[in-house]
Amino acid sequence: MHETVTISIGECGNNIGAQFWRDCCTQSDLSVSGHSLHPQVPPPSNLFEEQVSSRFVPRAILLDSDPGTLANIRNSDLGFLFPPSACISGSYGAGNSFGNGCYDPDLLELIQEPLNDQIRIQAEKCDQTPNFNLFHSLGEGTGSGTTAFVLMHLKEEYRTSVFNCSVLPEPDASVVSPYNCILGLNYLIESSSAVLCIDNGYLTAKLGIGEINQYTSRQLVGMFESEKWWIPKYDQDAAYYQRHFYHSETMWKGEIVTSCLVSDTDKVIQEIEFGNTKLYNSGVIQSIKQQLDSFDLMFKRFKLRLLEKSPSIIISDKLNSYQAKIRFL
């Protein structure tokens, strides 16, 4: 199978990633330190790299602007699973701002060089250019902004497939979450091959906070370990953005649970089955529409206030172009 490098970004992405790798170890008969419990049955080589003494290390990079989340992972039972060089952090958070996560020079000075080095090292260990999986939240400054920075680098340096597991925030998660979400979605449209949408608000009401990471991890493990696992080929000139966004269904504690709500009139363009998990490539995902509506309202108010203060000011149409592209979904 094609090797895959997983990059967990931000607090939410690393919490999902921690649960994902814990479940991968369980599925692959590995201890949480990466040692094989049944050496005659090796874990999937697309996710793990074999080292000495029947020890397997995830093809993974853990990235956050705040060192706290990664410190918690290193101090947990997973602390010995990841080499120290795989954990990259800044010295403070992104302040829940897309701009800080993507463009803050102090943050980029700390993470850019070690991140690029780790991506290159992981890629050189693979037999061919690997696929990349990114776990993140679109509501956070790091999850949206730093993910955009990573996507730009992958698009420039590695013309390969990129899969995003993207957690969509609740509409009222924070004042700035619609901005973070819409700006982040623009980069997903530009640079990702496929996006699995996870609606945090919908799943919190249905499952409870403590189960969301487990639910998401269960889907991801089943997909990535499946021989059917497939990521659409990256095409820089592709114009059919809406074909790349998926919602999912899986059996959870005896009930079929969907990862997010979709329009009642939505048509399924494509269906992919991985055991108990099904991906649906379809039209209007309600959580994206809610974020776009909130963004529209806030942006109109912003423009009105700005024009009241400076009637002659010219407002850039860049954000409006983001909205137009996202309406393809």
Side-chain angles (χ1 to χ4, degrees):
M1 296 175 68
H2 205 106
E3 291 103 337
T4 300
V5 176
T6 297
I7 307 177
S8 304
I9 304 173
E11 181 179 4
C12 177
N14 278 291
N15 286 334
I16 290 175
Q19 184 64 51
F20 169 77
W21 288 113
R22 184 176 283 107
D23 290 344
C24 279
C25 287
T26 300
Q27 287 285 104
S28 304
D29 290 325
L30 297 177
S31 69
V32 289
S33 61
H35 290 93
S36 179
L37 302 177
H38 297 92
Q40 67 275 18
V41 184
S45 60
N46 63 319
L47 295 175
F48 290 90
E49 174 200 355
E50 185 174 6
Q51 296 188 337
V52 296
S53 304
S54 296
R55 183 171 185 267
F56 294 83
V57 175
R59 301 183 188 275
I61 299 170
L62 286 64
L63 176 65
D64 201 354
S65 58
D66 188 329
T69 301
L70 300 190
N72 290 337
I73 292 174
R74 287 196 298 268
N75 292 329
S76 72
D77 57 343
L78 291 175
F80 293 104
L81 186 62
F82 309 101
S85 58
C87 300
I88 303 168
S89 67
S91 57
Y92 55 88
N96 207 21
S97 166
F98 175 93
N100 289 343
C102 190
Y103 302 114
D104 182 0
D106 294 331
L107 173 62
L108 296 184
E109 184 178 359
L110 291 173
I111 70 170
Q112 185 170 8
E113 185 174 346
L115 174 64
N116 293 349
D117 286 345
Q118 277 303 302
I119 293 175
R120 175 182 53 79
I121 289 169
Q122 291 289 350
E124 288 177 351
K125 291 179 180 178
C126 299
D127 294 334
Q128 53 187 316
T129 304
N131 295 327
F132 290 92
N133 298 323
L134 275 58
F135 303 158
H136 66 106
S137 167
L138 282 167
E140 301 174 352
T142 305
S144 60
T146 308
T147 297
F149 173 78
V150 174
L151 286 170
M152 287 189 288
H153 175 71
L154 295 178
K155 181 178 179 180
E156 182 178 349
E157 298 294 332
Y158 304 91
R159 296 179 61 85
T160 186
S161 296
V162 180
F163 172 86
N164 284 68
C165 174
S166 305
V167 178
L168 295 158
E170 303 167 52
D172 56 351
S174 73
V175 175
V176 295
S177 64
Y179 282 105
N180 293 337
C181 190
I182 296 305
L183 292 168
L185 278 168
N186 176 67
Y187 284 87
L188 296 185
I189 291 171
E190 292 284 350
S191 303
S192 290
S193 306
V195 179
L196 173 61
C197 297
I198 305 293
D199 186 337
N200 190 64
Y202 169 70
L203 289 176
T204 298
K206 197 165 186 67
L207 302 179
I209 296 176
E211 293 185 307
I212 295 178
N213 288 345
Q214 298 174 33
Y215 167 82
T216 303
S217 172
R218 176 172 176 172
Q219 294 183 79
L220 295 171
V221 171
M223 289 160 51
F224 296 151
E225 291 193 342
S226 171
E227 293 183 358
K228 296 180 180 179
W229 174 233
W230 162 86
I231 303 178
K233 188 178 186 305
Y234 171 72
D235 183 356
Q236 191 172 15
D237 300 321
Y240 302 104
Y241 304 115
Q242 74 274 23
R243 294 186 179 180
H244 296 168
F245 280 71
Y246 296 86
H247 68 278
S248 63
E249 284 186 354
T250 193
M251 181 70 69
W252 181 257
K253 296 186 176 180
E255 180 183 359
I256 295 291
V257 179
T258 59
S259 66
C260 51
L261 290 174
V262 294
S263 170
D264 293 337
T265 59
D266 193 20
K267 293 183 179 179
V268 174
I269 302 170
Q270 182 184 29
E271 177 182 329
I272 312 171
E273 184 173 352
F274 304 100
N276 289 329
T277 298
K278 290 184 179 180
L279 294 187
Y280 296 95
N281 184 356
S282 51
V284 179
I285 294 175
Q286 293 286 24
S287 45
I288 295 180
K289 184 178 183 301
Q290 290 169 353
Q291 294 296 324
L292 187 59
D293 291 343
S294 297
F295 176 89
D296 284 343
L297 181 60
M298 293 173 63
F299 193 47
K300 286 176 183 177
R301 290 175 179 172
F302 165 74
K303 288 194 289 187
L304 288 173
R305 290 177 183 175
L306 195 60
L307 290 172
E308 285 174 1
K309 293 182 179 180
S310 304
S312 61
I313 195 169
I314 299 174
I315 299 175
S316 170
D317 286 333
K318 192 168 186 180
L319 288 178
N320 289 327
S321 70
Y322 293 170
Q323 293 169 279
K325 281 192 290 187
I326 291 166
R327 289 190 190 281
F328 276 107
L329 298 176

